[in-house]
Amino acid sequence: MPRYRLLVEYDGTPFVGWQRQPNGDSVQGVLEQALAKLCGQPVMVQCAGRTDAGVHACGQVAHVDLPREYSADAVRDAANFHAKPHPVAVLRAELVSDDFHARFSAVGRAYVYRILNRRAPSVLDKNRVWWVAVGLDVERMQEGANHLLGCHDFTSFRAAACQAASPVKHLDVLDVRRCGEMIEIHAGARSFLHHQVRNMVGTLKLVGEGKWSPDDVRVALKACSRAAAGPTAPPEGLYLTSVRY
Amino acid sequence: MPRYRLLVEYDGTPFVGWQRQPNGDSVQGVLEQALAKLCGQPVMVQCAGRTDAGVHACGQVAHVDLPREYSADAVRDAANFHAKPHPVAVLRAELVSDDFHARFSAVGRAYVYRILNRRAPSVLDKNRVWWVAVGLDVERMQEGANHLLGCHDFTSFRAAACQAASPVKHLDVLDVRRCGEMIEIHAGARSFLHHQVRNMVGTLKLVGEGKWSPDDVRVALKACSRAAAGPTAPPEGLYLTSVRY
């Protein structure tokens, strides 16, 4: 069966997350139903990084096996036609060899977390950013972030529900940048633990507002206890931006 | 009565436009009701550029007279508190002299019109862009735009309902820029006719897709007839970005 690689964008707001679940619409479910309409039989779509409810993607990658060959553009256009009115779009489809696996072939994931840092609430970016009214010092946040770079046991930043075999991960990128009222935190690694990015962001926010020193991040990491780190940042600021193969 | 200048952001999607109207919520109405709650009596808010239903602003300017003096930050915070849950935010408030008038003191308005130019529909930018699936040539669009720069009779780009005394305007800026899938058209002038930006954009889209030559824009302008120019671009791509005094 021909395998297609899909580049997918979605607004995570109305979904229970990427993964099919009985309690609501999922991105996976929308794509599977849309592609089933194209080929007249059930299909299964697998992605590189399962995102939680409310988390967005502009560069999710998925693959699907279809019962016969279509042009890549026909797959993209049919998926977009049948996905309406759900906020999911296939930006690109391409035929790939059947040893390509969206999840297991991936060697890098990149996320961005956006914080709108101003007194006035978010309006044009509602559900697209974490609104933080208190002023954040991005230099201090970057200092704190630097303690997390490299290979560590990230137990302190791992959700209780995390199913990864090991809490040891190598964090390649954790850049904190301000552009006017918007703060973007770019994170890159081969893979992440469940809630890792949001837990790191929730912790760096404490540093940015001066409740923690940058060095407290190092202490929290070393503690290897979820209770030692900061709270989980809300989902609406998080975007899966790209997957590397 | 102390006069306050307000810098206002809003999502135009749920509104009948800036102006109070009997048939739905308006940005003006939301701000007037919010500020009336602060000071316990009715107030009137006037803006620099009345926007239509669906049109957004990140840099609208308005003024309001309040019955007594408050700190500028208290005005901003109270407006934002009472405007909830409507998507309107006061980004800044400042006390100004009472010869400041948001509309009549303005000497320049700037708008940006955003086109998402790709096959896949808009998802993360739904209601924030005009989705155009057919490829647009921005160099051709810029060539067409250049014919509109300077002082002209803009009757061809003027809504029938326009109340301006004269159709003659001086267009200072009309820049067409592409950044990946996004095309931004920046327009700047002392003032604009009703629908002028959207009518110019709807016309330039014809040029971008090859249905018109750049020179056809010049011909349409000279015709001084609304029928000679292209259709009105939809409101959701348009943003009032700044007002100059």
Side-chain angles (χ1 to χ4, degrees):
Chain A
M1 302 217 297
R3 178 163 290 189
Y4 292 85
R5 170 176 166 168
L6 310 175
L7 180 67
V8 185
E9 175 180 309
Y10 48 88
D11 166 10
T13 313
F15 295 113
V16 296
W18 165 270
Q19 199 156 23
R20 246 183 288 111
Q21 285 176 54
N23 58 327
D25 288 331
S26 65
V27 182
Q28 184 183 27
V30 166
L31 285 173
E32 288 178 347
Q33 282 164 34
L35 291 165
K37 281 190 183 141
L38 167 66
C39 57
Q41 66 181 67
V43 301
M44 194 169 82
V45 176
Q46 295 199 61
C47 77
R50 286 165 297 177
T51 51
D52 286 313
V55 174
H56 316 294
C58 48
Q60 175 70 280
V61 176
H63 77 262
V64 62
D65 295 328
L66 299 183
R68 56 189 174 282
E69 201 170 316
Y70 301 87
S71 81
D73 286 358
V75 171
R76 177 199 61 200
D77 293 346
N80 289 330
F81 180 80
H82 294 298
K84 285 186 290 186
H86 300 283
V88 178
V90 173
L91 305 185
R92 195 165 60 231
E94 55 183 314
L95 192 61
V96 290
S97 70
D98 60 6
D99 61 357
F100 174 84
H101 191 290
R103 182 169 171 199
F104 299 122
S105 307
V107 297
R109 275 103 174 156
Y111 289 86
V112 64
Y113 195 99
R114 297 170 76 215
I115 296 173
L116 181 66
N117 188 34
R118 67 178 191 192
R119 285 289 298 179
S122 61
V123 164
L124 282 164
D125 284 311
K126 196 170 157 64
N127 293 325
R128 299 279 184 278
V129 295
W130 182 16
W131 171 45
V132 174
V134 58
L136 298 177
D137 179 334
V138 295
E139 281 74 28
R140 281 174 62 92
M141 292 170 76
Q142 184 64 64
E143 253 189 88
N146 291 342
H147 291 298
L148 300 174
L149 289 173
C151 192
H152 302 286
D153 179 332
F154 279 98
T155 296
S156 301
F157 299 92
R158 178 189 199 178
C162 181
Q163 291 168 1
S166 160
V168 177
K169 293 284 174 190
H170 194 286
L171 183 64
D172 300 313
V173 175
L174 196 58
D175 282 349
V176 186
R177 305 174 200 160
R178 178 186 285 279
C179 179
E181 297 171 334
M182 198 67 79
I183 296 172
E184 289 190 352
I185 301 174
H186 294 261
R190 183 177 179 95
S191 64
F192 290 90
L193 299 168
H194 192 198
H195 282 184
Q196 185 182 343
V197 177
R198 288 166 59 192
N199 290 339
M200 294 191 300
V201 169
T203 302
L204 293 178
K205 185 248 192 185
L206 296 175
V207 177
E209 64 187 330
K211 289 187 179 166
W212 279 33
S213 74
D215 193 58
D216 289 338
V217 178
R218 188 184 57 76
V219 174
L221 176 69
K222 292 290 170 222
C224 289
S225 155
R226 179 69 193 92
T232 308
E236 62 265 26
L238 187 60
Y239 299 72
L240 174 55
T241 54
S242 65
V243 183
R244 207 153 40 80
Y245 290 94
Chain B
M1 302 215 299
R3 178 163 291 191
Y4 293 85
R5 170 176 167 169
L6 310 174
L7 180 67
V8 185
E9 176 179 308
Y10 48 89
D11 168 9
T13 313
F15 295 113
V16 296
W18 165 270
Q19 199 157 23
R20 246 183 289 110
Q21 285 176 55
N23 59 327
D25 289 331
S26 65
V27 181
Q28 184 182 28
V30 166
L31 284 173
E32 287 179 348
Q33 283 165 33
L35 290 164
K37 282 191 183 141
L38 166 66
C39 57
Q41 66 180 70
V43 301
M44 194 169 80
V45 177
Q46 295 198 63
C47 77
R50 287 165 296 176
T51 51
D52 286 311
V55 173
H56 317 294
C58 48
Q60 174 72 279
V61 175
H63 77 261
V64 63
D65 295 328
L66 299 182
R68 56 188 174 283
E69 200 171 318
Y70 302 88
S71 82
D73 286 357
V75 172
R76 177 197 62 199
D77 293 347
N80 289 331
F81 180 79
H82 294 297
K84 285 186 290 184
H86 300 283
V88 177
V90 173
L91 306 185
R92 195 166 59 230
E94 55 185 314
L95 193 61
V96 288
S97 69
D98 60 7
D99 62 356
F100 173 84
H101 191 290
R103 182 169 171 199
F104 299 122
S105 308
V107 296
R109 276 100 175 158
Y111 289 87
V112 63
Y113 195 100
R114 297 170 76 214
I115 297 174
L116 181 66
N117 189 33
R118 68 179 191 191
R119 284 289 298 177
S122 61
V123 164
L124 282 164
D125 284 310
K126 195 170 158 62
N127 294 325
R128 299 280 184 277
V129 295
W130 182 17
W131 171 46
V132 175
V134 59
L136 298 178
D137 180 334
V138 294
E139 281 75 26
R140 282 173 61 91
M141 292 169 76
Q142 184 64 66
E143 252 188 89
N146 291 342
H147 292 298
L148 301 174
L149 290 173
C151 192
H152 302 286
D153 179 332
F154 280 98
T155 295
S156 300
F157 299 92
R158 177 188 198 179
C162 181
Q163 292 167 359
S166 160
V168 176
K169 294 285 174 188
H170 195 287
L171 183 63
D172 300 313
V173 175
L174 195 58
D175 282 349
V176 186
R177 305 175 200 159
R178 177 185 285 281
C179 180
E181 297 172 332
M182 199 67 80
I183 296 172
E184 289 190 354
I185 301 173
H186 295 260
R190 184 177 178 94
S191 65
F192 290 91
L193 299 168
H194 192 200
H195 282 185
Q196 184 182 344
V197 178
R198 290 166 58 192
N199 290 339
M200 293 192 301
V201 169
T203 302
L204 293 179
K205 186 249 193 184
L206 296 175
V207 176
E209 64 186 332
K211 288 186 179 167
W212 279 33
S213 74
D215 193 59
D216 289 339
V217 177
R218 188 184 57 75
V219 174
L221 176 69
K222 292 291 169 217
C224 288
S225 156
R226 179 69 193 93
T232 307
E236 62 265 26
L238 187 61
Y239 298 72
L240 174 54
T241 54
S242 66
V243 184
R244 207 153 41 80
Y245 290 93

